[in-house]
Coordinates of all heavy atoms in Angstrom, one line a residue:
H928 N -80.9 -115.2 29.6 CA -82.2 -115.6 29.1 C -83.2 -114.4 29.1 O -84.4 -114.6 28.9 CB -82.8 -116.8 29.9 CG -81.9 -118.0 29.6 ND1 -82.1 -118.8 28.5 CD2 -81.0 -118.6 30.4 CE1 -81.2 -119.8 28.5 NE2 -80.6 -119.7 29.7
D955 N -87.1 -115.5 29.1 CA -87.7 -116.6 28.3 C -88.8 -117.4 29.1 O -89.7 -117.9 28.4 CB -86.6 -117.6 27.9 CG -85.5 -117.0 27.1 OD1 -85.8 -116.0 26.4 OD2 -84.4 -117.6 27.0
I957 N -89.9 -120.8 31.6 CA -89.5 -122.2 31.5 C -90.9 -123.0 31.5 O -91.8 -122.8 32.3 CB -88.8 -122.7 32.8 CG1 -87.5 -121.8 32.9 CG2 -88.4 -124.1 32.8 CD1 -86.8 -121.8 34.3
H961 N -90.2 -128.9 32.3 CA -88.7 -128.8 32.5 C -88.4 -128.4 34.0 O -87.3 -128.7 34.4 CB -88.1 -127.7 31.6 CG -88.2 -128.0 30.2 ND1 -87.5 -129.1 29.6 CD2 -88.9 -127.5 29.2 CE1 -87.7 -129.1 28.3 NE2 -88.6 -128.2 28.0
L965 N -84.4 -129.1 36.2 CA -83.4 -128.0 36.0 C -82.2 -128.2 36.8 O -81.1 -127.7 36.4 CB -84.1 -126.7 36.4 CG -85.2 -126.1 35.5 CD1 -85.7 -124.8 36.1 CD2 -84.6 -125.9 34.1
F969 N -76.1 -131.6 33.5 CA -76.1 -131.6 32.1 C -77.5 -131.5 31.5 O -77.6 -131.6 30.2 CB -75.4 -132.9 31.5 CG -74.1 -133.1 32.1 CD1 -73.8 -134.2 32.9 CD2 -73.0 -132.2 31.8 CE1 -72.5 -134.4 33.4 CE2 -71.8 -132.4 32.4 CZ -71.5 -133.5 33.2
Y970 N -78.5 -131.1 32.2 CA -79.8 -130.9 31.7 C -79.9 -129.5 31.1 O -79.5 -128.5 31.7 CB -80.9 -131.0 32.8 CG -82.3 -131.0 32.2 CD1 -82.8 -132.1 31.6 CD2 -83.0 -129.8 32.2 CE1 -84.1 -132.0 31.1 CE2 -84.3 -129.7 31.7 CZ -84.8 -130.9 31.1 OH -86.1 -130.8 30.6
R971 N -80.4 -129.4 29.9 CA -80.6 -128.1 29.2 C -82.1 -128.1 28.8 O -82.6 -129.0 28.2 CB -79.7 -128.0 28.0 CG -78.2 -127.8 28.4 CD -77.5 -127.4 27.1 NE -76.1 -127.5 27.4 CZ -75.3 -128.4 26.9 NH1 -75.7 -129.3 26.2 NH2 -74.0 -128.3 27.2
V972 N -82.7 -127.0 29.0 CA -84.1 -126.8 28.6 C -84.1 -126.8 27.1 O -85.0 -127.4 26.5 CB -84.7 -125.5 29.1 CG1 -86.0 -125.2 28.5 CG2 -84.9 -125.6 30.7
D973 N -83.2 -126.1 26.5 CA -83.1 -126.0 25.0 C -82.0 -127.0 24.5 O -80.8 -126.7 24.6 CB -82.8 -124.6 24.5 CG -82.8 -124.5 23.0 OD1 -82.9 -125.5 22.3 OD2 -82.7 -123.3 22.6
A974 N -82.4 -128.1 24.0 CA -81.4 -129.1 23.6 C -80.5 -128.7 22.5 O -79.4 -129.2 22.2 CB -82.1 -130.4 23.2
A975 N -81.0 -127.6 21.8 CA -80.2 -127.1 20.6 C -79.0 -126.3 21.1 O -78.1 -126.1 20.3 CB -81.1 -126.3 19.7
R976 N -79.0 -125.9 22.3 CA -77.9 -125.1 22.8 C -76.7 -126.0 23.2 O -76.9 -127.1 23.7 CB -78.2 -124.4 24.1 CG -79.2 -123.3 23.9 CD -79.5 -122.6 25.2 NE -80.5 -121.6 25.1 CZ -80.2 -120.3 25.0 NH1 -79.0 -119.8 25.1 NH2 -81.2 -119.4 24.9
D977 N -75.5 -125.6 22.8 CA -74.3 -126.3 23.2 C -73.5 -125.5 24.2 O -73.9 -124.4 24.6 CB -73.5 -126.6 21.9 CG -73.0 -125.4 21.2 OD1 -73.1 -124.3 21.7 OD2 -72.7 -125.6 20.0
R978 N -72.3 -125.9 24.5 CA -71.5 -125.2 25.5 C -71.2 -123.8 25.1 O -71.1 -122.9 26.0 CB -70.3 -126.0 25.9 CG -70.5 -127.3 26.6 CD -69.3 -128.1 26.9 NE -68.4 -127.3 27.7 CZ -67.2 -127.7 28.1 NH1 -66.8 -128.9 27.7 NH2 -66.4 -127.0 28.8
H980 N -73.1 -121.9 23.3 CA -74.3 -121.1 23.2 C -75.3 -121.4 24.3 O -76.5 -121.4 24.1 CB -75.0 -121.3 21.9 CG -74.1 -121.0 20.7 ND1 -73.3 -122.0 20.1 CD2 -73.8 -119.8 20.1 CE1 -72.7 -121.4 19.1 NE2 -72.9 -120.1 19.1
G981 N -74.9 -121.5 25.5 CA -75.9 -121.7 26.6 C -75.3 -122.4 27.8 O -76.1 -122.8 28.7
G982 N -74.0 -122.6 27.9 CA -73.5 -123.2 29.1 C -73.3 -124.7 29.0 O -73.7 -125.3 28.0

Side-chain angles (χ1 to χ4, degrees):
H928 294 283
D955 298 341
I957 305 163
H961 294 293
L965 290 178
F969 307 115
Y970 187 81
R971 291 192 189 105
V972 170
D973 183 354
R976 291 181 185 257
D977 58 18
R978 287 177 62 180
H980 302 96

